Amino acid sequence: MVGLELDLKEIRKSGKMAFFIAIAGIGLPFLGGVGIASLIHETMSVGAKFGPLVVFMGVPLSITAFPVLVRIMAELKLLSTDLAKIVIPAAAINDVCAWILLAIGVAISGPSGRPATPVYVLLWGAGFVLFMIFVVKRIMEKLAYRVTGREDLSEIYVCVTMMGVLLSAFTTDLIGIHPLFGAFVFGLIIPNDGPFAQMLIEKIEDFVTVLMLPLFFASSGLKTNLGSINSGRTVGYLVLLVFTAAVGKISGTVLVALSMKLQLQEAFAFGFLMNTKGLVELIVLNIGKDLGIFDDQTFAVLVLMCLLLMFFTTPAVKALYKPARDPVPYTHRKLEGVKKDQLRILICVHGTRSIPAILNLVEACKVASKRKPLKLFAMHMVELTERTSSIMTLSRATKQDGKKLSSSMNNIDNILVAFEAYGRIAKVPVRLLSVVSELDNIHYDVWKAAAEKRATIILVPYSFYQKDDGSIENLNPEFRAVGQRVMQNAPCSVGVLVDRGLWGEDQLIETTIPHKVAVLFFGGADDREALAFGLKLAEHPNVTLWVLRFVLQQELGSCHVLNLDELPNEEEERLDDDTLASVKPFRVDENPERSTGQSIYYEEHMYRSSVESVLAIARSGDFSLLLVGKGHTKIGFRPTLERQPESSDLGLVGDALASACGDIKASVLVIQQHNSPSSHKNSVSDHQQSI
């Protein structure tokens, strides 16, 4: 699995600079390890051969743990920075060097006392590597090609691969090199530029990471006898090892980084990252212990050294390296009042189900942006986990960010493929993005992308699916919280799409079937933003917009009124009237002769209960899409019959439409305007008054 994570093509593309950085980072601590090995050989590991002791001592001191480094950078969100473009290739070269040194160390530590034996072992090992690269790799490429285009990996391919792993491990063990080296080389030759490697990891990683890896760490812990560190001399060796590894690795890397004209803080962050220790070092130490090169005392000291250096990496990088994340300033962060500026939409999806409905929104908006063509940014949100496949997805997304999809992505990320296909057919410029992050922090990546791309509105699907019988299935409740967090303090307006199927059933780009869209207008900044978005949809020839203004009938009975905006009601009502002035001429009851052939209609509805009124409209089946703002200036509701608004994620009306079951088929788009009062609140205000 470590071999599968490494990409030989990317290592070759990294150039000479990454190679020099890797060698500089290895050289100084390895030389220091030679000196410490001579001291330990005389005092602690007396029975060990000096040559193997030097190699097995130098590798943990000088090598970077590539898998651990990638995970640390992923958690710190550094994989998309300029620093990562230097660190990742250098760390990958370090990892390859570690396995080569491991093979050399095992070869020279054999039981045979003949000096020619290690040479024969290394020659056979070199022949094995060449055979794997020029023969077995071609076979695996043909095998990987057969997987192209498939959604799952057949059991026969997994069996063939596992047999190859076992045969490679058996061969290197027969040669005199450790079996792990053969398994690593086999993983290294599997092509990474297709779906085969990731599918393979998804098949085996649960067994490896859930069962075998914890057992390996438990075994390492059982072998580590901390009680053997019982003297000042042993503690002194531990301090010396930590100091030599840290100073040698960091200083060598910092010198090269400064020569590349990096800033001092970045150079030191570079050094600490390259000093990351982890799994590979523990593998080397365990092999050295099994071969009798380390005694209990030496093994315990080296394990503690690796753990201490690994613990220092994350806090040191956090303190030293803080990449500039201030986005380019821009002014058009909402739709209201913006008529001639280019419409820039950021779509964030985590599944394929909502894509047809979202693309219909984009297609309808495309007509309104003829002078300045619409700009579309499609982002695939993926949860970052400890799984290797998640890390590989993140690395691949980082490499492909902003570029056209290559063949390596065409069969891995079907979501982005769908958006690229739409861009080609509809002739809409599409920028493809991917973000892999923890769900608790993924909204920060969405905010950052929206600010960097100067998005006018963010469209996020609601984690929701309505079955044919009308029941609701939550696809991924955790992503629902992501949409809610995106709404809070977003750098532009946000729309959350609750797709019930009717709006996305027929694609606007392929059909002339008309769609009726309704804007449910109660008043407030968010409703005005919903109306502005609806007016853009109305420019499409297949879309008819109905603006339904709801006027509260306070005299008809007892109800509660929520005041949700910080501005005085008079000011908000004036803004609402100014916004509605453009659609009031299309009032249906005043102009019956204009009731046909137009694209915009305006009606006023008197209501006592907002939820009952909008649910009645939704159940009528007249509309395929309902637009509503998240917050409102004031709104009437019945607290004894309706859900308390404090618990709603999409506002009182939006949440009622999203959670309603039954025969409702209309999709719902809940819109929040940039810097509206609802964007700074987790729930609606509890400021109420009785009427």
Side-chain angles (χ1 to χ4, degrees):
M1 284 184 63
V2 174
L4 282 172
E5 289 187 66
L6 295 174
D7 192 344
L8 288 177
K9 290 184 178 179
E10 293 296 327
I11 294 176
R12 287 197 296 267
K13 291 178 183 177
S14 59
K16 297 181 180 178
M17 184 57 67
F19 178 77
F20 289 142
I21 292 173
I23 296 302
I26 292 174
L28 288 178
F30 195 89
L31 291 176
V34 173
I36 298 177
S38 61
L39 294 175
I40 291 179
H41 184 262
E42 296 176 358
T43 56
M44 296 169 64
S45 298
V46 180
K49 296 180 181 179
F50 182 70
L53 182 62
V54 168
V55 176
F56 280 91
M57 184 75 69
V59 170
L61 266 68
S62 59
I63 297 302
T64 302
F66 178 78
V68 180
L69 172 69
V70 174
R71 282 163 175 78
I72 289 176
M73 297 192 73
E75 291 175 0
L76 297 179
K77 301 186 183 299
L78 298 179
L79 281 179
S80 60
T81 61
D82 294 334
L83 184 64
K85 298 176 182 178
I86 309 172
V87 173
I88 297 297
I93 294 173
N94 264 250
D95 216 15
V96 174
C97 291
W99 290 94
I100 295 174
L101 290 173
L102 172 64
I104 294 173
V106 174
I108 63 179
S109 61
S112 176
R114 299 171 59 185
T117 301
V119 178
Y120 290 139
V121 171
L122 292 176
L123 288 175
W124 276 104
F128 166 78
V129 173
L130 293 175
F131 176 77
M132 296 293 289
I133 292 175
F134 292 103
V135 179
V136 181
K137 185 178 180 181
R138 296 178 182 271
I139 298 175
M140 296 309 298
E141 286 176 349
K142 292 181 179 179
L143 199 66
Y145 178 76
R146 292 191 175 188
V147 179
T148 303
R150 301 190 181 187
E151 295 183 357
D152 199 4
L153 191 61
S154 175
E155 289 81 357
I156 186 65
Y157 298 117
V158 180
C159 291
V160 170
T161 305
M162 291 297 99
M163 287 298 297
V165 172
L166 295 176
L167 286 173
S168 299
F170 175 76
T171 303
T172 52
D173 188 37
L174 193 65
I175 291 173
I177 305 175
H178 200 275
L180 282 176
F181 180 76
F184 168 76
V185 173
F186 192 89
L188 203 62
I189 65 167
I190 292 179
N192 290 79
D193 55 352
F196 182 63
Q198 186 158 359
M199 287 182 176
L200 188 63
I201 283 183
E202 290 174 355
K203 287 285 187 181
I204 66 175
E205 67 176 331
D206 287 337
F207 174 70
V208 174
T209 58
V210 175
L211 179 63
M212 298 187 69
L213 193 60
L215 289 177
F216 170 74
F217 282 115
S219 175
S220 301
L222 291 173
K223 293 178 184 177
T224 306
N225 182 13
L226 295 180
S228 62
I229 307 177
N230 53 8
S231 64
R233 183 183 62 182
T234 309
V235 174
Y237 279 131
L238 175 61
V239 175
L240 182 61
L241 283 168
V242 172
F243 179 81
T244 304
V247 173
K249 188 77 170 179
I250 294 173
S251 60
T253 306
V254 167
L255 290 175
V256 178
L258 291 176
S259 67
M260 297 171 58
K261 298 181 180 180
L262 266 68
Q263 295 182 0
L264 186 62
Q265 286 185 331
E266 291 184 350
F268 272 98
F270 191 2
F272 275 101
L273 284 170
M274 293 298 293
N275 196 40
T276 302
K277 307 299 178 186
L279 178 63
V280 178
E281 286 75 14
L282 285 179
I283 290 174
V284 172
L285 294 179
N286 275 273
I287 293 174
K289 183 74 165 60
D290 295 338
L291 294 175
I293 297 171
F294 299 137
D295 58 8
D296 290 344
Q297 212 172 31
T298 308
F299 181 77
V301 169
L302 289 169
V303 169
L304 274 181
M305 176 207 71
C306 291
L307 293 177
L308 289 172
L309 292 175
M310 182 175 63
F311 292 151
F312 287 148
T313 301
T314 300
V317 174
K318 280 185 176 180
L320 290 172
Y321 186 64
K322 297 178 181 179
R325 298 186 183 273
D326 295 332
V328 178
Y330 68 105
T331 56
H332 300 298
R333 299 170 181 261
K334 59 184 180 180
L335 298 170
E336 183 188 5
V338 179
K339 297 181 179 180
K340 297 182 179 180
D341 197 64
Q342 183 185 50
L343 182 60
R344 303 169 72 87
I345 300 177
L346 173 64
I347 296 174
C348 304
V349 294
H350 54 83
T352 58
R353 192 178 296 276
S354 59
I355 290 179
I358 288 182
L359 289 181
N360 263 359
L361 292 175
V362 176
E363 179 64 21
C365 292
K366 183 183 71 173
V367 179
S369 305
K370 288 184 176 179
R371 293 184 179 180
K372 291 188 176 181
L374 178 144
K375 185 75 173 179
L376 179 61
F377 303 93
M379 173 182 285
H380 182 195
M381 299 186 297
V382 182
E383 181 183 2
L384 176 63
T385 64
E386 293 298 321
R387 299 168 70 93
T388 302
S389 56
S390 177
I391 301 298
M392 289 185 68
T393 302
L394 177 57
S395 301
R396 187 174 289 107
T398 303
K399 296 170 188 174
Q400 297 292 334
D401 187 11
K403 301 178 182 178
K404 284 190 172 292
L405 291 180
S406 64
S407 58
S408 64
M409 291 287 288
N410 280 335
N411 300 291
I412 295 175
D413 200 340
N414 293 327
I415 292 177
L416 296 185
V417 170
F419 282 106
E420 187 192 40
Y422 168 77
R424 290 176 178 175
I425 296 172
K427 297 181 180 180
V428 172
V430 180
R431 185 78 178 270
L432 305 170
L433 310 169
S434 285
V435 56
V436 186
S437 182
E438 299 91 346
L439 289 183
D440 293 338
N441 300 320
I442 202 169
H443 57 284
Y444 291 111
D445 296 276
V446 175
W447 292 348
K448 178 174 177 285
E452 288 180 347
K453 309 307 180 187
R454 303 191 302 281
T456 312
I457 187 171
I458 303 171
L459 296 180
V460 185
Y462 202 57
S463 185
F464 170 98
Y465 171 62
Q466 180 166 312
K467 300 179 181 179
D468 294 335
D469 59 0
S471 61
I472 294 175
E473 177 185 354
N474 293 322
L475 299 178
N476 192 336
E478 295 178 348
F479 271 101
R480 178 176 298 182
V482 171
Q484 185 182 3
R485 286 192 290 267
V486 168
M487 278 188 158
Q488 301 169 15
N489 302 317
C492 62
S493 295
V494 181
V496 177
L497 178 64
V498 183
D499 180 24
R500 292 183 181 270
L502 189 58
W503 168 252
E505 189 175 18
D506 299 302
Q507 290 297 297
L508 290 174
I509 195 173
E510 299 174 350
T511 183
T512 58
I513 297 177
H515 283 277
K516 290 180 67 176
V517 178
V519 176
L520 310 179
F521 194 95
F522 290 90
D526 293 345
D527 282 352
R528 294 194 297 271
E529 190 75 357
L531 178 56
F533 191 82
L535 291 174
K536 290 187 177 295
L537 299 182
E539 296 191 28
H540 194 280
N542 295 345
V543 175
T544 303
L545 179 69
W546 288 73
V547 181
L548 309 180
R549 186 183 187 183
F550 290 85
V551 181
L552 182 63
Q553 285 187 342
Q554 300 177 359
E555 70 279 2
L556 293 181
S558 165
C559 69
H560 282 204
V561 175
L562 295 179
N563 290 320
L564 303 177
D565 265 329
E566 298 175 357
L567 292 177
N569 287 339
E570 295 78 7
E571 177 66 16
E572 283 293 282
E573 290 175 1
R574 185 188 66 79
L575 293 173
D576 292 342
D577 291 337
D578 292 343
T579 303
L580 292 171
S582 61
V583 296
K584 281 185 177 180
F586 303 100
R587 187 163 182 162
V588 176
D589 53 356
E590 292 184 358
N591 298 281
E593 68 279 0
R594 300 178 59 184
S595 59
T596 58
Q598 62 189 52
S599 60
I600 300 175
Y601 299 87
Y602 174 77
E603 286 185 348
E604 290 188 356
H605 291 255
M606 307 300 291
Y607 79 99
R608 290 173 54 194
S609 169
S610 58
V611 173
E612 292 177 356
S613 300
V614 298
L615 288 180
I617 292 174
R619 291 192 175 100
S620 67
D622 293 337
F623 303 101
S624 60
L625 177 66
L626 303 175
L627 303 180
V628 62
K630 178 185 177 184
H632 315 279
T633 307
K634 63 179 181 179
I635 191 169
F637 78 106
R638 294 184 179 182
T640 57
L641 300 177
E642 301 171 8
R643 182 179 178 182
Q644 290 298 319
E646 289 83 2
S647 61
S648 61
D649 299 338
L650 304 177
L652 180 63
V653 177
D655 190 69
L657 290 170
S659 58
C661 299
D663 55 352
I664 296 179
K665 298 296 183 181
S667 299
V668 182
L669 182 64
V670 181
I671 295 182
Q672 173 188 274
Q673 189 180 76
H674 173 61
N675 267 345
S676 70
S678 62
S679 64
H680 303 293
K681 300 176 183 179
N682 296 332
S683 61
V684 297
S685 173
D686 59 356
H687 179 64
Q688 304 173 10
Q689 63 181 28
S690 296
I691 297 180

